[in-house]
Amino acid sequence: MKELSVTGESPDESKQGQSSTGPTQAPSEPREPAEATAPSEAKASSEAKEPEAESAPKAKAGTSPAWAAAPRPSTDDDARTDGAIPTDPRRSLSAGADARKPVPDGAKAPAEARQTPRWAAGGTDVAGTDSAAQATVALPALGAGAGAGAGEDTARTPAAEEKRPAPGAAPSGAGARPAAVKPAQAPVRESEPVPPVAPPRPPAAGVPGPRAAERPTGVPGPVTPARPATQPGTPPGPGQSEQRPRPPIDLLAQLTNTPAPPQTPMRSVARRFKIWGPVVVVLAVGVVTAQMVRPLPKPTLALEGSASYTFQGDFSVPWPDHGQSAAKVVGAGSLGTSGEQKPVPTASVAKVMTAYVILKGHPLKKGESGEQITLDAQAEADSAKKDESRVPLKAGQRFTQEQMLQMLMIPSGNNVARQLARWDAGSEDAFAEKMNKVARELGMKDTVYTDPSGFLESTKSTAADQLKLAEAVMQNEVFRQVVRMPSATIPGLEKPIYNNNALLTTQPGTAGIKTGSTTPAGGALMWAAYRTVDGKDQLLLGVTMDQRSPGGDSNAHLKRALDNTQKVIAGIRDGLVSATVVKKGQVVGYVDDGLGGRTPVVATADLKSAGWPGLKPAFKLADGGRAVPHEAKAGTEVGVLTVGDGPGAAKVPVALQKDLSEPGFGSKLVRLG
């Protein structure tokens, strides 16, 4: 064993030779107990003075003051080192792990025991500065536990040191510790917390501090409190940790610093559900509300696929073998065309457009004569042209609008057409522009007008285009009356005027419309005829153009056009029949509520229509000017079924086959439009 080196330090001070920056770990090599004191001396001193210390310890030179042995609660400063750097918070918050317990005489302190900083034990740091001397600046706050003879700590002897309680766990491998002595003072009350004391700063490196023996008398040294046992006055037994109450701040820290549970896929899903779930619910409620309060789509009528009919039998129109033609039964459908539909000169058939434009700008009703028109000098000059069809007129004469239309359409006066153009538009060119505008409105894509009479070869059209014009103009009652007149007597004219359309007198049922013939155009005829079917007059319309006779005379061309047209009219009249195309109660369509709901509609009566063998008339279902309801009882009329084409088409009302209901909740919710 090594020989004890006697210095001015007490065994506790030599044991606290650690860095001032905080408690250090136990030295790697264990020290023998002889380095602190001789076992025989320590044991003898302990046995001799123990009764005296237990009965009434007194402050003597070289012994620690009474306040130094008094226990005190642990504060945050117990776990701090120089510079207020906190130690491991788990040690300060875990009283059971760091609880100090007395060490029997001659036994080594456990390695896990808490270490006391050098400055608190009264030792010196590595630079030799007495940290305990600096700690006295902050320790007066603890004066409640101080006793007399506070300055006698510098004259302690090893024998007196053994009477002090163990300041804490000694480093692993340290020598024998003095026997623990119960404190003479009353235990510190647990309900009375001690304010924290900031540790003093260590001296600068290289500056030696006063040693323990050089401390001035009366300056208390650092206090290492003795922690209370499990029960007051009862030291903990072997293997039992010393317990002490935790400050409220430590309990709060333990509660608030509880680590989160480990992350798992299920916790991630649950967390996302908690975050986004309310948002999704709010959005869903908003969407549902919006879908419910949105206006419903307007119900519409649609045809059923079974709504169709085809006339039985065979039929063909006896078309001319040259030129071009077109025909239709107004209200039933088109009979088709013949020949190449290319623009050709129209001749006087162009006067039909002139009459249509005048009636559009200056409408006339049945029985009305219209405005008075005064003839100009140009009308009188045009009357002298021998190569044109004309009416003898004189400047200054006055005729009514109706009389002017008769002179235009019956004898086909070119001078009358020009006079009407100047009266209406101011000039013939301006009137020709109006004629072309109306032609575009009617869909006459292959037609161009350059003059109001058709005398110019540049005025061209097709039979199909002129058929569109015939259907439009024949809706005017005044016009229909004029064109079917074989002749007329007009006051102011020297003699009656006669119609060039011989079919008005030779072909029963013929109703006009206008003839035309020139060398460039050949013979042309826009015609109209009637056929009574099931007590109803059916209007037949057609156009025959570019009809030529081998002789080359314009009158011969016109005769050829009249002859070929007569065959067409006769063939259509003979082939026209009537048939029941829709029966009462037949499902012809349905009401579409706009959200996928369909309610069938049926015909309220049998429907007959005129046609010819092989005709497949067009079916149309419309509301008839009445809005289709969202809800209605079965049998309610909701529209009209039309069979055919044009103003003369056959019609029958349709009604609901069953109750019509408003769309349900599901249909409203999933609608997109």
Side-chain angles (χ1 to χ4, degrees):
M1 297 182 61
K2 296 182 180 181
E3 184 178 355
L4 177 63
S5 175
V6 180
T7 62
E9 300 176 357
S10 66
D12 275 352
E13 292 172 348
S14 62
K15 179 177 60 179
Q16 299 294 334
Q18 301 175 11
S19 173
S20 62
T21 59
T24 60
Q25 300 296 328
S28 58
E29 295 181 4
R31 297 176 56 187
E32 296 181 2
E35 294 180 0
T37 180
S40 59
E41 295 178 5
K43 184 175 181 180
S45 300
S46 177
E47 292 176 352
K49 297 184 179 289
E50 184 173 359
E52 181 182 354
E54 290 181 356
S55 58
K58 297 182 181 180
K60 297 180 181 181
T63 62
S64 298
W67 60 264
R72 64 180 179 89
S74 175
T75 63
D76 291 343
D77 291 333
D78 292 343
R80 295 179 184 268
T81 61
D82 182 42
I85 300 178
T87 60
D88 190 349
R90 292 173 297 183
R91 298 197 176 195
S92 61
L93 295 178
S94 184
D98 294 336
R100 301 180 183 180
K101 53 187 178 179
V103 181
D105 293 345
K108 294 184 179 180
E112 303 85 20
R114 184 175 178 181
Q115 300 177 6
T116 304
R118 176 177 297 175
W119 58 268
T124 58
D125 56 12
V126 292
T129 305
D130 190 353
S131 301
Q134 300 180 12
T136 57
V137 178
L139 286 178
L142 302 177
E152 298 175 1
D153 185 52
T154 56
R156 289 191 302 243
T157 63
E161 186 68 16
E162 292 174 356
K163 299 178 183 180
R164 296 181 56 192
S172 177
R177 297 287 305 273
V181 179
K182 288 198 303 181
Q185 302 293 333
V188 178
R189 289 174 296 178
E190 296 178 1
S191 61
E192 184 176 346
V194 179
V197 179
R201 291 184 176 275
V207 179
R211 301 182 65 83
E214 300 172 355
R215 292 198 190 106
T217 304
V219 178
V223 176
T224 301
R227 300 185 181 274
T230 304
Q231 296 180 358
T234 303
Q240 181 180 4
S241 300
E242 182 181 1
Q243 301 293 331
R244 64 184 180 89
R246 299 180 185 178
I249 190 64
D250 291 351
L251 296 175
L252 179 61
Q254 184 176 8
L255 292 175
T256 57
N257 292 335
T258 302
Q263 192 66 272
T264 63
M266 290 301 296
R267 287 198 179 99
S268 299
V269 172
R271 180 173 177 270
R272 292 173 183 172
F273 180 81
K274 291 179 180 178
I275 295 174
W276 294 106
V279 177
V280 172
V281 170
V282 172
L283 291 178
V285 172
V287 169
V288 171
T289 303
Q291 291 289 73
M292 294 300 106
V293 301
R294 282 176 57 191
L296 293 173
K298 182 180 179 181
T300 58
L301 289 168
L303 280 171
E304 186 70 30
S306 59
S308 62
Y309 184 82
T310 303
F311 286 85
Q312 302 300 315
D314 295 329
F315 173 77
S316 62
V317 179
W319 300 110
D321 56 1
H322 64 280
Q324 55 181 283
S325 302
K328 74 178 301 182
V329 177
V330 178
S334 173
L335 288 158
T337 62
S338 69
E340 183 182 359
Q341 299 297 309
K342 61 180 181 180
V344 296
T346 64
S348 291
V349 174
K351 293 182 175 71
V352 177
M353 178 61 81
T354 300
Y356 185 62
V357 172
I358 292 296
L359 289 171
K360 281 177 68 66
H362 310 274
L364 289 177
K365 295 180 180 179
K366 185 180 181 179
E368 293 180 350
S369 298
E371 302 178 47
Q372 292 283 333
I373 300 173
T374 301
L375 303 181
D376 57 16
Q378 184 64 40
E380 182 178 357
D382 290 342
S383 300
K385 295 180 178 180
K386 302 295 182 179
D387 56 346
E388 299 184 26
S389 60
R390 66 216 182 272
V391 177
L393 298 174
K394 293 181 180 180
Q397 286 183 306
R398 294 173 63 84
F399 296 96
T400 64
Q401 181 181 339
E402 181 184 17
Q403 292 171 340
M404 293 292 286
L405 287 174
Q406 291 174 351
M407 289 185 285
L408 174 70
M409 300 304 295
I410 296 174
S412 189
N414 287 354
N415 56 341
V416 176
R418 296 184 184 113
Q419 178 64 72
L420 286 171
R422 292 192 296 270
W423 170 73
D424 176 78
S427 67
E428 297 178 26
D429 292 339
F431 190 80
E433 292 179 0
K434 295 179 71 173
M435 296 171 71
N436 289 319
K437 180 180 179 180
V438 174
R440 290 191 295 270
E441 292 174 356
L442 295 175
M444 302 168 65
K445 299 179 181 179
D446 298 323
T447 300
V448 57
Y449 293 98
T450 58
D451 71 302
S453 65
F455 181 76
L456 299 179
E457 184 180 351
S458 56
T459 296
K460 296 182 178 182
S461 186
T462 64
D465 274 5
Q466 291 299 308
L467 185 59
K468 296 176 182 178
L469 174 61
E471 186 174 5
V473 73
M474 283 297 286
Q475 296 180 30
N476 188 288
E477 188 174 7
V478 173
F479 181 82
R480 291 198 305 268
Q481 289 178 345
V482 170
V483 298
R484 71 187 304 172
M485 296 173 63
S487 64
T489 299
I490 300 175
L493 297 180
E494 297 178 356
K495 52 184 178 182
I497 55 178
Y498 296 92
N499 200 318
N500 293 327
N501 187 358
L503 298 178
L504 292 172
T505 58
T506 62
Q507 178 71 42
T510 303
I513 299 176
K514 186 69 185 75
T515 60
S517 62
T518 61
T519 300
L525 177 63
M526 180 185 288
W527 57 268
Y530 288 95
R531 171 77 159 87
T532 303
V533 179
D534 287 337
K536 181 180 179 181
D537 289 339
Q538 300 291 333
L539 177 61
L540 285 64
L541 296 175
V543 178
T544 303
M545 300 180 69
D546 197 20
Q547 300 299 302
R548 300 180 181 277
S549 176
D553 180 67
S554 60
N555 292 328
H557 295 331
L558 178 57
K559 187 177 184 306
R560 184 66 176 270
L562 292 171
D563 292 343
N564 290 337
T565 300
Q566 184 180 8
K567 297 176 184 178
V568 173
I569 295 174
I572 295 173
R573 285 171 57 89
D574 293 342
L576 201 61
V577 296
S578 176
T580 302
V581 295
V582 175
K583 295 182 178 181
K584 181 180 179 179
Q586 178 182 341
V587 176
V588 294
Y590 54 86
V591 175
D592 187 351
D593 62 9
L595 298 179
R598 294 184 176 185
T599 305
V601 295
V602 297
T604 58
D606 291 344
L607 178 64
K608 291 185 176 182
S609 176
W612 53 92
L615 173 65
K616 192 173 183 178
F619 281 63
K620 295 179 181 178
L621 190 58
D623 56 18
R626 296 175 296 182
V628 181
H630 291 286
E631 294 181 301
K633 296 294 184 180
T636 304
E637 293 186 3
V638 293
V640 177
L641 175 66
T642 302
V643 180
D645 185 21
K651 298 180 180 180
V652 63
V654 296
L656 295 171
Q657 187 184 46
K658 59 182 182 179
D659 293 347
L660 176 64
S661 302
E662 187 177 276
F665 176 82
S667 299
K668 293 179 181 179
L669 182 61
V670 300
R671 58 176 163 167
L672 299 177

